[in-house]
Amino acid sequence: MDNYEVLKLDNQLCFPFYAISRLITKQYQPHLEELGITYPQYLVLLVLWETDQISVNTIAEKLILKTNTITPLLKRMENAGLIKRLKSKEDERKVYIHLTKKGLTLREKAVCIPSKLIGSDEVDDKQMEMMKKFQQQLLTLLKAMQNTEE
Amino acid sequence: MDNYEVLKLDNQLCFPFYAISRLITKQYQPHLEELGITYPQYLVLLVLWETDQISVNTIAEKLILKTNTITPLLKRMENAGLIKRLKSKEDERKVYIHLTKKGLTLREKAVCIPSKLIGSDEVDDKQMEMMKKFQQQLLTLLKAMQNTEE
DNA sequence: GTAAAATATATCGTACGCGATATATTTTTC
DNA sequence: GAAAAATATATCGCGTACGATATATTTTAC
């Protein structure tokens, strides 16, 4: 009868990741709403604030997304006046993404967001550090698996 | 200049959850494709295999989703012949979800999926256990925050 | 006991994610 | 150096997620 133990929701490693991911996004939402952006758009900005003027592919790689997700997302961001898309002159296949003044300025408002979220107070620092390491390992492993299967 | 350290992608706790969640789903996909279901549909089945004949709301609560996500998902599952939707007689607002024979039978095929995924071999057991505990704490915390804000 | 509040589900609109496919441009190969 | 392969991005279709809103039914308040 209970060979089915492995199929119980509480025994899945996958479900907590799925649920936590969505709940974290929801935590961000009210703060991001003030900036007029969504969570995936926020991630794109995090990337661009670190390194401006990079290709669509580079952004996709950093966020582990495909261009068919990023392309329309970037278009919405362009419509919102946050970025500009410019074709590379050396390689006309490439499109380089530039922050506009508006996109750059949002950084100053965004900088206070992390401190407003749970983390520092509610969760133990040591555990948090272990967590991060584990996640890094898991992420590396999963990324490697993606590539070997292609 | 580097007050912006907190905005670096690598310093975000949120991003690994987001990325890992998507990559795990992708790991499941080929196996679920054989059963003709998607990952969220698989989660619904996990719930129903544990407890059949529950309301839409109960499923939504267990998966921490809203009914506006679950309702169309269940309709697709009904069209696929996996479940049936029956109005409760005591309370006509409620819709109870029943597994069909087909939905129940899938369990036997699904039972071998967990062992086919990464986990047991590649990742240290002790770490995995700590991880689970941490996730449980975080999930409880996040769920509580959802409720206090409403 | 009836109006108001609460509850359960559904509908609508928007924004992802992603597989499959298309298109345009470069690079490689022979 | 022209055909074939590779690369970069875009387009299309489908299935989630979710906020906002609608509808139907039950419960609560007075």
Side-chain angles (χ1 to χ4, degrees):
Chain A
M1 183 63 206
D2 256 344
N3 309 28
Y4 294 135
E5 192 70 19
V6 290
L7 289 179
K8 283 192 176 170
L9 192 64
D10 286 344
N11 294 333
Q12 307 298 313
L13 186 64
C14 57
F15 177 67
F17 278 107
Y18 166 79
I20 290 172
S21 173
R22 283 184 295 107
L23 290 175
I24 289 180
T25 303
K26 250 189 219 169
Q27 293 293 316
Y28 274 90
Q29 222 202 336
H31 306 294
L32 297 180
E33 217 160 74
E34 286 179 36
L35 312 191
I37 57 177
T38 65
Y39 180 72
Q41 289 172 16
Y42 174 66
L43 293 180
V44 170
L45 287 178
L46 289 183
V47 169
L48 289 172
W49 287 332
E50 275 188 67
T51 321
D52 200 0
Q53 309 195 14
I54 51 179
S55 70
V56 175
N57 246 349
T58 308
I59 296 177
E61 271 168 32
K62 283 183 196 272
L63 300 182
I64 318 175
L65 289 164
K66 298 285 162 58
T67 60
N68 55 5
T69 297
I70 296 282
T71 295
L73 203 160
L74 290 174
K75 276 190 185 168
R76 285 186 284 271
M77 291 179 75
E78 190 177 31
N79 287 339
L82 299 171
I83 58 161
K84 283 235 162 116
R85 290 137 37 88
L86 290 168
K87 276 214 170 176
S88 162
K89 294 234 164 124
E90 311 92 61
D91 185 339
E92 295 223 337
R93 293 170 303 179
K94 288 188 184 171
V95 173
Y96 277 92
I97 307 299
H98 297 241
L99 283 166
T100 61
K101 190 151 274 180
K102 184 178 174 190
L104 194 56
T105 309
L106 274 194
R107 194 184 200 183
E108 289 156 31
K109 290 190 192 168
V111 79
C112 64
I113 292 179
S115 66
K116 286 181 187 161
L117 300 165
I118 57 150
S120 30
D121 303 338
E122 290 86 345
V123 185
D124 180 37
D125 270 5
K126 251 185 238 161
Q127 269 195 315
M128 184 75 89
E129 214 42 57
M130 284 208 63
M131 181 66 157
K132 257 193 186 163
K133 255 185 206 149
F134 185 88
Q135 285 183 331
Q136 207 48 57
Q137 277 177 41
L138 190 54
L139 205 50
T140 306
L141 183 60
L142 286 167
K143 276 203 276 193
M145 296 198 68
Q146 287 300 112
N147 298 330
T148 52
E149 273 162 24
E150 275 163 22
Chain B
M1 185 59 206
D2 257 344
N3 310 29
Y4 292 134
E5 191 72 20
V6 288
L7 289 180
K8 283 192 176 169
L9 192 64
D10 287 343
N11 294 334
Q12 308 297 314
L13 185 66
C14 57
F15 177 66
F17 277 106
Y18 166 78
I20 290 172
S21 173
R22 283 184 295 106
L23 290 175
I24 290 179
T25 303
K26 248 190 220 169
Q27 293 293 317
Y28 274 90
Q29 222 201 338
H31 306 295
L32 297 179
E33 218 160 74
E34 285 178 37
L35 311 191
I37 56 176
T38 65
Y39 181 71
Q41 289 172 14
Y42 174 66
L43 293 181
V44 170
L45 287 178
L46 289 183
V47 169
L48 289 172
W49 286 332
E50 275 188 67
T51 320
D52 201 359
Q53 309 196 13
I54 51 178
S55 71
V56 175
N57 246 349
T58 308
I59 297 176
E61 271 168 32
K62 283 182 196 274
L63 300 181
I64 318 175
L65 289 164
K66 298 285 161 60
T67 60
N68 54 5
T69 297
I70 295 281
T71 295
L73 203 160
L74 291 174
K75 276 189 185 168
R76 284 187 284 271
M77 291 179 76
E78 190 177 32
N79 288 338
L82 299 170
I83 58 161
K84 284 236 161 116
R85 291 137 39 88
L86 290 169
K87 276 212 171 177
S88 162
K89 295 236 164 122
E90 312 92 62
D91 186 340
E92 294 222 337
R93 293 171 303 181
K94 288 188 185 169
V95 173
Y96 278 92
I97 306 299
H98 297 241
L99 282 166
T100 60
K101 190 151 273 180
K102 184 178 174 190
L104 192 56
T105 309
L106 274 193
R107 193 185 200 182
E108 289 156 32
K109 290 190 192 166
V111 78
C112 64
I113 291 178
S115 66
K116 287 182 186 160
L117 300 164
I118 57 150
S120 32
D121 304 337
E122 291 85 347
V123 185
D124 180 36
D125 270 5
K126 253 185 238 162
Q127 270 194 315
M128 184 74 88
E129 213 44 55
M130 284 208 63
M131 181 65 156
K132 259 193 187 165
K133 258 187 204 145
F134 185 89
Q135 286 182 332
Q136 206 49 57
Q137 277 177 41
L138 190 54
L139 204 51
T140 306
L141 184 61
L142 286 166
K143 276 203 277 191
M145 297 198 68
Q146 288 299 112
N147 297 332
T148 53
E149 274 162 22
E150 274 163 23

